[in-house]
Amino acid sequence: MARIITILSILIISLLTIPLSFAAWLNDKAPDFTLQDIEGNKVALSDLKGKVVYINFWASWCPPCKEEFPELNILAEKYRDSDFIILAVNVDKVKSNMDDFLLKMPLPSKNMIILVDPKASVVSSFNARAMPASFILDKEGVTKYMHLGFNEKDPEKWVKEIDSLLK
């Protein structure tokens, strides 16, 4: 019985500390980074100050990413005439895996920039522990919302959160 209580205690403590490790990023300035887009152009987060930025970390091997990606494209189109942009950061180590994934998807909106992070250095700086992982930044670059994984109700939440930051 004592062993079961110990295991349950460890489990409960682990579950309680997971949100704390993510919560440290909320309301903090997002880590700045510069990555290349799929055409080889450098894109720096700091250059997007004044825009609401949706940063999404994804990979071709991630089933929820495959579901989420078309929804991100719809989101980008919805806000194409506003101060909003999506940075879709791919973390595949092999570029051809990303290329194959993108060939199966609708062409991305002009309001979505696909970046490559094959060494996963940027995703780790955001402390993302799930895939996909998304961070919504206000116009000053402060992380206001975070989403880990994907479910079908997420796009509704994204719209409410983005609308609140565009006001």
Side-chain angles (χ1 to χ4, degrees):
M1 183 67 164
R3 185 173 186 195
I4 292 173
I5 291 173
T6 302
I7 291 170
L8 286 175
S9 297
I10 291 170
L11 181 61
I12 289 170
I13 290 169
S14 297
L15 290 174
L16 291 174
T17 58
I18 288 171
L20 292 176
S21 66
F22 291 121
W25 292 106
L26 289 177
N27 297 313
D28 283 346
K29 189 108 169 135
D32 193 21
F33 62 86
T34 301
L35 290 172
Q36 287 188 343
D37 67 14
I38 56 176
E39 295 170 359
N41 302 309
K42 289 187 177 183
V43 177
L45 179 60
S46 57
D47 291 342
L48 300 174
K49 189 172 182 178
K51 291 186 179 282
V52 172
V53 180
Y54 187 110
I55 301 171
N56 174 260
F57 295 100
W58 64 281
S60 65
W61 46 261
C62 162
C65 298
K66 292 175 185 175
E67 285 182 70
E68 181 185 58
F69 202 87
E71 295 295 332
L72 291 175
N73 203 26
I74 292 168
L75 185 71
E77 277 301 299
K78 176 178 175 54
Y79 292 101
R80 75 174 174 262
D81 296 323
S82 67
D83 289 329
F84 173 79
I85 194 156
I86 294 176
L87 299 179
V89 182
N90 178 267
V91 297
D92 283 313
K93 292 182 187 329
V94 179
K95 185 180 180 303
S96 62
N97 292 341
M98 176 192 70
D99 294 339
D100 291 344
F101 176 93
L102 291 173
L103 284 174
K104 297 173 189 163
M105 294 293 150
L107 289 175
S109 164
K110 292 188 186 323
N111 218 26
M112 179 171 26
I113 301 171
I114 299 171
L115 302 174
V116 291
D117 184 20
K119 295 181 182 176
S121 57
V122 174
V123 70
S124 63
S125 73
F126 275 77
N127 202 24
R129 296 186 182 154
M131 201 57 67
S134 300
F135 300 82
I136 304 175
L137 314 182
D138 68 11
K139 292 181 179 186
E140 298 301 314
V142 174
T143 304
K144 292 298 184 178
Y145 301 99
M146 186 177 337
H147 297 275
L148 302 174
F150 175 73
N151 76 58
E152 61 195 30
K153 296 196 187 254
D154 283 345
E156 293 173 32
K157 292 178 193 173
W158 302 337
V159 168
K160 289 178 185 173
E161 294 164 354
I162 292 163
D163 285 347
S164 75
L165 297 174
L166 285 172
K167 291 181 182 178

